[in-house]
Amino acid sequence: MNIAPRIKDAAETVVDTLMREVKGVKAVVIATEDGMELAARAENTAQVARMSAIASSLAALGAVAGEESGLGQCENVVIETALGHILMLQARHEEAGLIVSVVTGKDAVIGQALYFSKQATLALQRA
């Protein structure tokens, strides 16, 4: 899949914004629905490749769950763990389906992380 430079640039901007604006963010990965990484930053760089693959799989599961339950398209998946949260949001751009993945520590305010992540998806959709 060939992604336009403006979308890649928007992805880099989104990553920078989320890392800067949301307290407790440990990683942000923007990937295509098939798992190709566009932009990422993480405290632990080993997380990046795994997050792209995981996001692709969870997005597919979320899509099936939304459709099968009659609730429509999956917008996001939020996972709470013992040490933090993982947020995965769909950014439906006309040229490519993208997934915004955000990993936070327990110190993050989940509402703030979700709000800024949703703003990020809107920015990607407009790119």
Side-chain angles (χ1 to χ4, degrees):
M1 176 183 288
N2 193 12
I3 303 295
R6 74 180 187 290
I7 298 172
K8 289 181 182 180
D9 290 344
E12 291 288 346
T13 299
V14 160
V15 167
D16 290 341
T17 300
L18 287 169
M19 292 295 290
R20 183 181 63 246
E21 297 294 329
V22 183
K23 177 187 173 199
V25 172
K26 297 186 175 298
V28 177
V29 179
I30 312 294
T32 62
E33 288 179 327
D34 62 0
M36 184 182 82
E37 175 195 327
L38 293 182
R41 188 162 354 134
E43 289 178 357
N44 174 357
T45 55
Q47 288 179 309
V48 173
R50 287 192 313 248
M51 284 304 299
S52 293
I54 291 167
S56 176
S57 297
L58 285 176
L61 288 172
V64 170
E67 294 299 324
E68 289 295 320
S69 65
L71 296 174
Q73 289 183 325
C74 177
E75 299 295 325
N76 62 62
V77 176
V78 179
I79 300 169
E80 183 176 1
T81 70
L83 300 176
H85 296 88
I86 303 167
L87 294 81
M88 295 179 187
L89 298 92
Q90 297 280 340
R92 292 178 179 87
H93 191 279
E94 62 188 19
E95 294 178 31
L98 304 174
I99 302 169
V100 178
S101 301
V102 180
V103 178
T104 74
K106 266 298 198 201
D107 59 335
V109 177
I110 190 64
Q112 180 190 39
L114 189 56
Y115 172 80
F116 277 98
S117 297
K118 285 185 177 190
Q119 295 304 307
T121 63
L122 292 174
L124 287 170
Q125 289 171 176
R126 292 188 300 258

